[in-house]
Amino acid sequence: MKLRKVTAGWGEPLQPPPGYFGPEGSVPDEAQRRLILDWAVSQRIASGWRVESRSETQAVLVRGQPVNHVLHAILSLVTCFLWAIVWVVLMATNRVERVALTVDAQGHVIAVHAPAS
């Protein structure tokens, strides 16, 4: 598993706007950490991820869909296995990504990426 800070576009850390924190140098409380997690989840949802599970301290997000093997098997049989070419290409290129987002005690968003499946 990879442990890293969530990054947006060009490598800058994906962190909430300054208004989510208290006075300069203070540690965010639980309510502020939940707001930061909400903000990070909404940023990921805007870029095509969906929420698989959510608690007060962690969110698991998923991008991609698994291949429907039953449907492709039926289509392959109906088309005398011509559809099998499409099925093989989908199996080779389809990726389902999972990431768990948490907010540490300093208010930084931490992402743990699951192995690719």
Side-chain angles (χ1 to χ4, degrees), residues 37-38 40-42 44-46 48-55 58-63 98-99 101:
L37 183 61
D38 289 340
V41 168
S42 68
R44 285 286 180 129
I45 288 172
W49 293 77
R50 66 185 185 281
V51 178
E52 185 175 59
S53 68
R54 173 71 195 264
S55 69
Q58 184 181 46
V60 178
L61 300 146
V62 180
R63 180 169 51 183
R98 279 189 176 73
V99 63
L101 298 178

Side-chain angles (χ1 to χ4, degrees), residues 19-76:
Y20 281 80
F21 297 102
E24 186 66 35
S26 69
V27 177
D29 61 8
E30 289 300 315
Q32 289 171 324
R33 288 173 63 191
R34 280 193 296 270
L35 284 173
I36 293 168
L37 183 61
D38 289 340
W39 182 86
V41 168
S42 68
Q43 294 297 309
R44 285 286 180 129
I45 288 172
S47 64
W49 293 77
R50 66 185 185 281
V51 178
E52 185 175 59
S53 68
R54 173 71 195 264
S55 69
E56 289 187 9
T57 59
Q58 184 181 46
V60 178
L61 300 146
V62 180
R63 180 169 51 183
Q65 293 284 340
V67 176
N68 186 343
H69 293 289
V70 174
L71 173 67
H72 290 287
I74 292 170
L75 288 171
S76 295

